[in-house]
Amino acid sequence: MNTPAEFVAWFRSVAPYINAFRGKTFVISFSGEMVTNAAFVDFIHDVNLLASLGVRLVLVHGARPQIQLRLDESQLETQTVMGMRVTDPAALQCVKESVGRVHHEIAALLSMGLPNSPMANAAIRVTSGNFVTACPQGVIQGIDLMHTGKVRKINAPAIHSRLEQGDVVLISPLGYSPTGEIFNLTMENVATETAIALHAEKLILLLDSADTSVLPRELTLPESKLLLENKTPARVAPIPDAIRSSLQYATKACELGVTRAHLVSRHIDGAIIQELFTHDGIGCMISQETLQALRKARIDDVGGILQLIEPLEAEGILVRRGRELLEIEIDRFTVLEHDGVILGCAALYPFPEEHACELACLAIHPDYRDQGHGERLLKHIENKTIAQDIHKLFVLTTHATHWFIEHGFNPATPAELPKAKQNLYNYQRRSKVLIKHL
């Protein structure tokens, strides 16, 4: 942002996200590798920012490299079964020491409040507890995994209670049994089950992989399942095992009630901020349903439509409509919405006595043109016209003549317009008249 105007435009663009996220619960998981990275402090600053915006945060950390280092120092070797470490009593002692150290280091960073830093006046309260009840993995392939466990239950009421007090909840990859045993869990298992139990708005998995380009920017739940089943022949690059595992957890979370799950590389500066506060994001988002909808406009869409069409009105491309007129005519409008943001709109005005309809105010956001959105809106308007048993659609345009001709419209004259429209024709604008017979 090189100018004040660019800064103001950017700040306004994030306002809808701030309003949407306030009071929502996000579960964010990150690995022990991330904790050891020098950029981890910047991540803590981003967590502070989310907390200051009223987001209810649950952080789930890993500790794999720290555990491995402690095992090496103790000259202990452990088996792995299907990617899971066998945690015997000696290894469990190393796990407890390593996880405890990492946990306290994170809590200390979250407690920072240095002047002239992003943490100034933060006053974040960090809370932890025995929120995770676990049980043993058991015997797999003939090998007893002993203290390696899996989540049995999350104490959601206790976590909600702390979140309602404004605390950031920090959860480690350890679980406890009713008999007093401690189990070594995976960070992903804890984060996913926590998000499900809390009915979280978002589960955000920060990946150690530097390249997530093998994943699409967006996946619906059915699309994610097909991807995991390798039923997408158009895909060229195979999904690495580490990313596939995270995608499986994200898919499970959405399947069991989490609104959205995000897979984001931890190596990108400000990864969670870029993913959450930009329209396209930088990672892969899995949602229960498609994020794009073509629907009838509502009164609360007026602001979004005005924001979309006002620049075109200023250029003389569209006829100027004030807010009051738009509110009166909102039932005439169809909007193309993506993740709560209006990308396009179109209006349909019928002239039933002359068996014709007018397509008006067709507009697509500049950043999303040439992606087929205009064609989709046009097809929808055509179908609405036919549904009224009308087969003549006309449009007046000053700039998009060729586009409409390419989509089946033919040049016409103002005399071919319905009488009521002829009386309103503005000869100063000299709009081109085009008609399509459906």
Side-chain angles (χ1 to χ4, degrees), residues 26-265:
F26 293 2
V27 177
I28 304 175
S29 76
F30 50 92
S31 66
E33 285 86 354
M34 184 170 175
V35 176
T36 62
N37 193 286
F40 185 65
V41 173
D42 295 326
F43 168 73
I44 293 296
H45 293 164
D46 294 342
V47 168
N48 169 49
L49 175 60
L50 291 177
S52 69
L53 294 175
V55 178
R56 294 154 53 113
L57 292 174
V58 179
L59 308 180
V60 181
H61 70 85
R64 287 190 186 102
Q66 292 85 351
I67 292 170
Q68 187 59 54
L69 179 61
R70 187 71 188 90
L71 289 169
D72 293 342
E73 290 173 348
S74 302
Q75 298 182 337
L76 293 175
E77 293 185 4
T78 59
Q79 287 179 281
T80 58
V81 180
M82 297 180 64
M84 293 180 288
R85 189 194 307 274
V86 177
T87 310
D88 59 23
L92 180 62
Q93 184 60 34
C94 294
V95 169
K96 291 190 293 184
E97 291 174 6
S98 303
V99 169
R101 186 180 301 113
V102 171
H103 193 88
H104 289 299
E105 287 174 356
I106 296 169
L109 288 174
L110 287 168
S111 302
M112 289 191 303
L114 294 173
N116 302 318
S117 79
M119 297 294 288
N121 303 314
I124 290 178
R125 293 194 305 272
V126 182
T127 189
S128 304
N130 57 340
F131 300 125
V132 182
T133 301
C135 60
Q137 286 281 358
V139 179
I140 298 178
Q141 296 181 351
I143 299 174
D144 186 355
L145 273 70
M146 292 186 270
H147 291 280
T148 298
K150 58 186 176 183
V151 174
R152 178 180 172 187
K153 184 180 179 181
I154 300 292
N155 191 343
I159 297 175
H160 277 306
S161 175
R162 302 318 306 165
L163 293 173
E164 288 168 3
Q165 299 298 316
D167 294 0
V168 170
V169 176
L170 181 62
I171 300 179
S172 68
L174 293 179
Y176 313 94
S177 74
T179 58
E181 293 179 280
I182 299 175
F183 290 98
N184 180 22
L185 312 175
T186 67
M187 166 198 73
E188 297 87 353
N189 178 215
V190 175
T192 301
E193 295 300 329
T194 300
I196 293 168
L198 296 176
H199 303 290
E201 178 76 12
K202 292 183 183 292
L203 168 64
I204 302 170
L205 302 173
L206 288 163
L207 309 183
D208 288 325
S209 174
D211 183 14
T212 59
S213 62
V214 294
L215 294 173
R217 279 282 183 259
E218 296 171 4
L219 287 169
T220 62
L221 186 53
E223 289 170 343
S224 181
K225 289 181 178 179
L226 288 174
L227 187 57
L228 289 169
E229 294 169 3
N230 296 317
K231 292 182 179 178
T232 51
R235 175 161 295 282
V236 177
I239 303 175
D241 289 342
I243 294 180
R244 174 177 289 275
S245 174
S246 296
L247 181 60
Q248 288 172 331
Y249 280 111
T251 301
K252 178 184 179 181
C254 289
E255 193 170 24
L256 296 178
V258 176
T259 307
R260 292 173 189 168
H262 301 254
L263 305 180
V264 185
S265 172

